[in-house]
Amino acid sequence: NAGVMQNPRHLVRRRGQEARLRCSPMKGHSHVYWYRQLPEEGLKFMVYLQKENIIDESGMPKERFSAEFPKEGPSILRIQQVVRGDSAAYFCASSPWTSGRAYNEQFFGPGTRLTVL
Amino acid sequence: DAKTTQPNSMESNEEEPVHLPCNHSTISGTDYIHWYRQLPSQGPEYVIHGLTSNVNNRMASLAIAEDRKSSTLILHRATLRDAAVYYCILSEFSGGYNKLIFGAGTRLAVHP
């Protein structure tokens, strides 16, 4: 059973370019979360999605950032017109459908390390 | 979400027990206590969670104070692979998920 997969693992972009980060959740998981980790800091929650729906985007910057989790295919975190301050590790996590459960463990991927030159 | 307080760093010797403390004096009745850890250059990994009672699993034990204002993650026999940043997180289960708010965590060093 493959874990959460993220690609690319490393991404280099120049200022002003777009970055697309992909996350394939674990098989059977319908919930996806994105987190950002700046150097030497803890993870910051960005967004929580279920298939075709954004449930909680309270941690997403208001501009340039967007996320989607389509019916088919991976979840995408898109950063437009990247700036140096976007350089960070971006982690995706997934969890299963929670019907009947009182707790939902999150399984994290290995992350995408974005470097903006 | 309620905040937690953890020591910045701790050290242990291999094969000795490790007790990682966490204070959460403003915890609410519906907050779960979660522990995740992050090994170098990897994504976080679930360790254990609890609500009111002490919990044991194959990785660790979680001891929760009777008033729930503090908890302790116990690694029974530390190995070199346990060197990581350990995060103590509070969140309630609402809307079908636990919203995890990570703090700075405790960086655990394990010496051979």
Side-chain angles (χ1 to χ4, degrees):
Chain A
N1 187 14
V4 177
M5 299 177 67
Q6 292 189 248
N7 65 82
R9 295 292 306 276
H10 299 273
L11 181 62
V12 179
R13 285 287 179 265
R14 297 191 179 278
R15 281 179 296 170
Q17 292 184 319
E18 178 179 287
R20 278 180 178 249
L21 288 63
R22 285 176 289 279
C23 169
S24 296
M26 287 181 68
K27 186 176 181 181
H29 286 194
S30 56
H31 300 205
V32 165
Y33 316 78
W34 285 94
Y35 295 82
R36 176 166 65 175
Q37 185 171 34
L38 297 172
E40 304 303 319
E41 294 188 13
L43 282 79
K44 304 297 184 189
F45 169 82
M46 299 181 74
V47 63
Y48 160 53
L49 311 100
Q50 296 177 16
K51 285 284 189 182
E52 300 184 278
N53 287 302
I54 297 174
I55 307 301
D56 181 351
E57 57 181 345
S58 57
M60 286 280 271
K62 292 289 185 283
E63 299 177 347
R64 301 187 298 107
F65 285 73
S66 62
E68 63 177 11
F69 188 18
K71 188 177 180 180
E72 301 291 339
S75 175
I76 305 288
L77 179 67
R78 181 184 178 204
I79 312 172
Q80 296 178 289
Q81 299 176 325
V82 296
V83 300
R84 289 217 173 107
D86 296 332
S87 294
Y90 292 82
F91 292 96
C92 164
S94 72
S95 61
W97 176 244
T98 57
S99 178
R101 293 167 60 108
Y103 182 82
N104 214 3
E105 171 189 346
Q106 293 182 25
F107 296 83
F108 283 79
T112 294
R113 279 148 185 84
L114 172 66
T115 301
V116 179
L117 302 178
Chain B
D1 293 298
K3 292 185 67 174
T4 62
T5 303
Q6 300 178 252
N8 290 334
S9 62
M10 292 185 64
E11 297 186 1
S12 174
N13 293 319
E14 204 174 6
E15 301 206 356
E16 290 184 353
V18 181
H19 290 233
L20 296 164
C22 181
N23 288 319
H24 29 79
S25 58
T26 58
I27 189 171
S28 75
T30 54
D31 279 331
Y32 281 83
I33 302 162
H34 316 249
W35 284 83
Y36 280 74
R37 72 179 184 181
Q38 187 174 21
L39 279 65
S41 300
Q42 295 189 27
E45 173 186 34
Y46 167 83
V47 178
I48 201 167
H49 78 276
L51 186 60
T52 56
S53 303
N54 294 345
V55 184
N56 300 298
N57 67 20
R58 64 175 179 81
M59 289 182 69
S61 295
L62 177 60
I64 301 173
E66 199 167 330
D67 63 5
R68 301 186 73 232
K69 293 184 183 300
S70 65
S71 60
T72 302
L73 178 70
I74 302 166
L75 307 179
H76 296 286
R77 291 183 65 194
T79 69
L80 296 178
R81 193 193 174 278
D82 291 324
V85 178
Y86 286 79
Y87 297 99
C88 170
I89 303 165
L90 301 183
S91 80
E92 62 179 355
F93 185 72
S94 175
Y97 78 111
N98 298 95
K99 185 173 179 178
L100 302 180
I101 307 297
F102 288 79
T106 296
R107 185 174 297 276
L108 176 65
V110 180
H111 303 293

